[in-house]
Amino acid sequence: MPQQLWSGIDAGKAAHHCAVIDPDGKRCLSRKVVNDEAQLCVLIDDVLAMADGGAVTWAIDLNHGGAALLISLLLARGQRLLYIPGRTVYYAAAGYRGDGKSDAKDAAIIADQARIRRDLQPLRAGDEIAVELRILSAARTDLVCDRTRAINRLRASLLEYFPALERAFDYSNSRAALILLTGYNTPDGLRALGPAGLEAWLREHKARNASAVATAALAAAQCQHTIVAGQQIGAVMVARLAKEVMRLDDEIGDTETLIEQRFRRHRHAPIILSMPGFGPLLGAEFLAATGGDLTVFDRADRLAGVAGLAPVPRDSGRISGNLKRPRRYDRRLLRACYLAAMIATRHDTASRTYYQRKRAEGKRHTQAVLALARRRLNVLWAMLRDHKTYQPTPAT
């Protein structure tokens, strides 16, 4: 006899745990399954067989990563799949009996939440380009973080034995200075080579502004004539870190090229690029965070809530009208909207006017930019809905 079932999946890297409940909340199945296509197909077949033709609603606490294979299998079969964020599951668990935690209990909670709640968003088949942009954007973020860590370690190592050279250059923005460190990074070594020799060496290694870099490096060398303990091994580490930063720069550049190529192939790219403040990188982050399909968001307010740009009320008793920043939102989407708004204040007349008005009202810089980002998100949502590019407001 057909019956309606709810299946909750507590997703993991190597394995998932599935719990199936009936309309009364009674657990019908609890099984751990390896994250393998064959075994996942068996699980789906068994759950559908239990329903005997009835409707099955699936729910999962992860929408990418280790759950991607299972999500693809369920959507390929036309199954209804809901997404329950892990934070929601964590807070919901407090309403169930017992303090213990297990994968089986979490899966049952996910299934029960899918049974009783009506505000959960269904997962849809991902936009291929948006998925690629999410992967590439995440890879670029990791590379940028690695680069920042390498530069910090480089400066700390250089500060140990040659502080004058450490403060002579901005190593995060000067590739010529990094080239210098790969060959000459000690005071005695720089003095021994001399101005003409150092400038020739820099030119040979294709360093820009070789003359200025050589002059600044030799000025730093003249400031220190003492050999600090550990200079020899410190110089080796600094040269190695300088090469690592240069390698990361090249890899970041290659990744950004891939991001821009794929972003410009997306159907929404011309519309997003027409919005002041959005370039290929921020536009790619916007598409990666939204999935490339804004029909999921039935209105601009919903998109603003996901982006963390819609304040939520904090009322109690006779106190009303208080608003606060939400705690649950997509930080990647907020970052893209915030940075685009901040850039627009410099290059777009309408955005700059709105920002200045908010500052005149007494808002701080961050608050004014967030208010601008909220207003711009309304415009961008309408542009994507109507398939129209941005039309700048004439200056008055």
Side-chain angles (χ1 to χ4, degrees), residues 12 21 40 47 49 56 157 188 206 217 222 244 256 261 288 290 316 333 356 379 386:
I21 61 174
L40 292 175
V47 174
V56 178
S157 299
D188 50 336
K206 297 180 174 59
Q222 294 298 333
E244 176 68 10
E256 290 178 350
Q261 290 174 349
T290 58
S316 179
L333 184 55
Q356 292 172 346
V379 176
D386 301 336

Side-chain angles (χ1 to χ4, degrees), residues 71-83:
I71 291 172
S72 298
L73 292 173
L74 289 171
L75 295 180
R77 294 198 179 196
Q79 297 296 302
R80 183 169 184 259
L81 178 60
L82 304 177
Y83 170 56

Side-chain angles (χ1 to χ4, degrees), residues 314-326:
R314 191 177 186 180
D315 300 338
S316 179
R318 290 180 294 179
I319 301 175
S320 62
N322 287 343
L323 299 174
K324 67 170 186 176
R325 290 276 304 278

Side-chain angles (χ1 to χ4, degrees), residues 42-286:
V42 171
L43 171 67
I44 296 172
D45 290 338
D46 290 347
V47 174
L48 294 179
M50 290 176 59
D52 194 21
V56 178
T57 299
W58 301 78
I60 194 166
D61 64 342
L62 194 63
N63 59 3
H64 62 276
L69 176 59
L70 177 59
I71 291 172
S72 298
L73 292 173
L74 289 171
L75 295 180
R77 294 198 179 196
Q79 297 296 302
R80 183 169 184 259
L81 178 60
L82 304 177
Y83 170 56
I84 304 181
R87 184 187 291 269
T88 301
V89 178
Y90 172 79
Y91 286 112
Y96 291 82
R97 184 177 59 187
D99 293 332
K101 182 188 182 306
S102 66
D103 293 343
K105 180 181 178 181
D106 288 345
I109 293 173
I110 293 170
D112 196 45
Q113 289 293 301
R115 179 177 68 92
I116 64 179
R117 294 185 60 163
R118 298 294 180 269
D119 59 341
L120 299 175
Q121 289 292 319
L123 276 175
R124 304 186 183 186
D127 184 316
E128 181 69 22
I129 297 179
V131 172
E132 291 179 350
L133 290 175
R134 176 174 56 79
I135 295 172
L136 288 171
S137 296
R140 180 185 177 275
T141 299
D142 290 341
L143 290 171
V144 170
C145 292
D146 290 343
R147 181 182 186 273
T148 301
R149 282 191 292 267
I151 290 176
N152 290 339
R153 289 167 56 200
L154 182 151
R155 300 189 77 104
S157 299
L158 194 57
L159 189 63
E160 288 277 347
Y161 70 92
F162 198 175
L165 187 61
E166 186 273 337
R167 64 175 177 267
F169 299 102
D170 181 5
Y171 296 103
S172 61
N173 294 317
S174 176
R175 188 177 181 89
L178 294 173
I179 294 174
L180 169 71
L181 294 183
T182 62
Y184 295 94
N185 53 39
T186 60
D188 50 336
L190 289 169
R191 287 194 302 269
L193 189 59
L198 182 58
E199 183 176 345
W201 184 88
L202 288 170
R203 292 186 186 280
E204 182 182 350
H205 288 78
K206 297 180 174 59
R208 298 179 62 184
N209 301 321
S211 178
V213 172
T215 300
L218 287 169
Q222 294 298 333
C223 294
Q224 179 176 332
H225 293 269
T226 302
I227 297 179
V228 179
Q231 173 178 292
Q232 184 177 1
I233 191 64
V236 174
M237 296 305 300
V238 165
R240 184 179 300 176
L241 288 168
K243 293 177 182 178
E244 176 68 10
V245 174
M246 293 169 62
R247 183 192 66 80
L248 288 170
D249 283 338
D250 294 337
E251 196 166 349
I252 290 171
D254 294 340
T255 304
E256 290 178 350
T257 300
L258 292 175
I259 290 174
E260 182 172 357
Q261 290 174 349
R262 280 159 175 77
F263 171 73
R264 292 188 181 278
R265 283 164 33 198
H266 198 275
R267 64 185 186 279
H268 291 328
I271 299 175
I272 295 175
L273 288 177
S274 71
M275 188 75 168
F278 276 102
L281 293 180
L282 289 180
E285 290 191 14
F286 181 85

